[in-house]
Amino acid sequence: MAVTVGTMNSQMAAQYSIDIDQGVFVYSVVKGGAGDKAGLRLGDVITKMGDTTLTSRQDLSAAMKGYRAGDTVTLTVYRGGQYIEVELTF
């Protein structure tokens, strides 16, 4: 996915002024990578991959195992106080 992520928690929520404390926090996005092409940004919190709810970086890793290069999945992302959906192609 070419992004650096971490498990969201209440301390990070307070530090970044984000209203949720579960999900996968995006620390960085590699320019030109799948995450960049999907529109992910620093500070996004990925809460779902397809129908799978993500509460940790480990959840994301496990969910990604079900996809191969060329597959597309919908990510639910919390950004700026609202949930959006983006399409990510591996």
Side-chain angles (χ1 to χ4, degrees):
M1 205 162 44
V3 297
T4 304
V5 297
T7 300
M8 189 69 188
N9 58 39
S10 57
Q11 181 181 4
M12 291 172 62
Q15 180 180 351
Y16 291 97
S17 300
I18 297 174
D19 297 332
I20 63 171
D21 61 5
Q22 286 194 335
V24 180
F25 184 82
V26 177
Y27 284 108
S28 68
V29 180
V30 175
K31 188 172 176 87
D36 181 40
K37 290 176 183 175
L40 291 175
R41 301 179 190 165
L42 166 70
D44 283 350
V45 181
I46 305 167
T47 60
K48 289 180 99 176
M49 177 177 275
D51 293 329
T52 304
T53 299
L54 306 176
T55 60
S56 69
R57 187 178 66 202
Q58 292 78 11
D59 289 348
L60 176 63
S61 294
M64 288 175 60
K65 290 179 182 177
Y67 298 94
R68 295 199 157 107
D71 288 349
T72 299
V73 66
T74 300
L75 300 178
T76 302
V77 177
Y78 187 80
R79 177 190 293 161
Q82 62 184 349
Y83 290 92
I84 62 170
E85 290 185 345
V86 298
E87 295 293 317
L88 177 100
T89 301
F90 289 93

